[in-house]
Amino acid sequence: MIKSVFRGMKTSDGAGVSLTRIIGSPDINMLDPFLLLDEFGSDNPNDYIGGFPPHPHRGFETITYMINGNFKHKDSVGNEGYLTDGGVQWMTAGRGVVHSEMPEQKEGLVRGFQLWLNLPKSKKMIDPYYNDIQAKEIPLVNIEGGVVKVICGEFRGVSGPGKPHTGVKYLDVQKEKKGTFSLPIEKLWNSFIYIYEGAIRSGLPIKKGSLGILDTSDAFECEVMEENTRFLMISGEPIGEPVARGGPFVMNTRAEIIQAFEDYQSGKLG
Ligand code: FE
């Protein structure tokens, strides 16, 4: 059941990319292990001309899911990736990368999500890694009146291609018809849904553009109130360690953040 509902906050990042910050805002700083969730989307070409020019990361993973449009990625050690509609880029920053991220419109549209997933202390300094997952590699599970895309974790015996370093379930639930939907979730994991089309009710009503934080029970049940409802259902095992944030770096202590800025300035992040 949903225990609280929040609206995302309009903001901008990168080279003036307008976006909605859903987690990582003044209302919800984080939901362990999730540090940030942004929705970027536009049908106006001028919103996206700048993209996200080169910037560093250390200490966590970014998971970018393109609903519409393309996404070009490049980093300072020569990795390049290109996603199209429905694809996911899973980037493990580990000890550090410097990369650029450029969403591109397709037929005037671009829409996607970026989720920041924390790494535990023991894995913050692992080697960086990229996993570009094309749409056709993401399994679809038919449900009554709809379909579930399994990006990570398991749903009705089908496992997604995402490979997190901690326990995570990441589903995109698409219901063309009204009706009920339920699934088991790991007890004591932190879970949320984000409605990006339509409306549902699970204890509380929630509609397009809102985040619902779930209780930590072992199941999620809802009633889909509108046709063509779509929502992300994301659940993660809490890490339970201190979190120190400094811009694009997320570590356990202030001293480690200062070290990350020093390493970036001296060219050690790639
Ligand atoms: Fe980035």
Side-chain angles (χ1 to χ4, degrees):
M1 298 249 279
I2 295 168
K3 62 174 187 182
S4 45
V5 174
F6 298 90
R7 292 291 296 177
M9 185 185 84
K10 299 270 181 219
T11 183
S12 76
D13 208 340
V17 179
S18 55
L19 50 80
T20 303
R21 183 141 295 161
I22 304 153
I23 297 175
S25 68
D27 284 344
I28 307 167
N29 180 42
M30 64 177 285
L31 185 70
D32 187 14
F34 307 109
L35 302 161
L36 178 143
L37 177 66
D38 283 342
E39 176 176 8
F40 46 90
S42 176
D43 48 15
N44 172 6
N46 298 321
D47 278 353
Y48 280 88
I49 283 171
F52 300 89
H55 58 277
H57 292 297
R58 173 180 278 178
F60 60 98
E61 309 190 77
T62 66
I63 302 152
T64 308
Y65 174 32
M66 294 304 295
I67 305 293
N68 299 111
N70 302 328
F71 182 79
K72 195 185 279 176
H73 154 268
K74 214 175 199 174
D75 79 7
S76 48
V77 292
N79 292 300
E80 266 186 60
Y82 196 67
L83 293 177
T84 56
D85 292 345
V88 171
Q89 186 202 53
W90 197 296
M91 182 200 72
T92 307
R95 70 181 139 72
V97 295
V98 178
H99 72 170
S100 63
E101 298 163 287
M102 299 290 168
E104 296 176 343
Q105 277 142 318
K106 194 166 164 186
E107 285 149 23
L109 285 174
V110 65
R111 188 179 205 186
F113 297 98
Q114 187 167 83
L115 178 69
W116 289 15
L117 170 63
N118 206 1
L119 283 166
K121 185 176 177 58
S122 60
K123 293 186 175 169
K124 283 192 177 290
M125 297 298 274
I126 59 177
D127 289 343
Y129 183 74
Y130 297 90
N131 185 10
D132 276 337
I133 303 166
Q134 301 300 337
K136 63 180 186 311
E137 300 171 58
I138 303 174
L140 300 174
V141 177
N142 288 318
I143 56 172
E144 205 188 326
V147 71
V148 174
K149 282 179 76 169
V150 188
I151 293 167
C152 180
E154 182 272 337
F155 176 72
R156 297 193 185 166
V158 175
S159 291
K163 293 186 189 69
H165 290 80
T166 52
V168 172
K169 189 193 292 288
Y170 190 146
L171 307 175
D172 180 8
V173 181
Q174 310 178 5
K175 281 270 276 180
E176 281 165 35
K177 300 202 176 107
K178 295 180 196 175
T180 56
F181 173 74
S182 66
L183 80 164
I185 48 179
E186 298 289 335
K187 206 167 159 54
L188 303 180
W189 283 20
N190 284 327
S191 307
F192 66 88
I193 55 166
Y194 179 71
I195 311 285
Y196 66 97
E197 290 296 338
I200 69 165
R201 174 185 283 277
S202 174
L204 300 171
I206 177 170
K207 63 181 195 322
K208 181 175 175 171
S210 296
L211 172 83
I213 296 182
L214 307 186
D215 60 23
T216 53
S217 69
D218 60 0
F220 170 64
E221 290 160 8
C222 71
E223 171 125 31
V224 174
M225 310 296 283
E226 288 181 15
E227 290 177 357
N228 297 314
T229 286
R230 294 185 65 168
F231 61 93
L232 305 181
M233 194 280 150
I234 299 178
S235 184
E237 181 183 8
I239 293 172
E241 292 176 355
V243 174
R245 300 170 81 127
F249 308 123
V250 183
M251 302 299 289
N252 298 107
T253 67
R254 208 60 227 157
E256 289 166 342
I257 293 294
I258 293 165
Q259 185 66 50
F261 277 103
E262 285 175 8
D263 288 352
Y264 175 49
Q265 273 149 19
S266 62
K268 287 184 192 157
L269 294 194

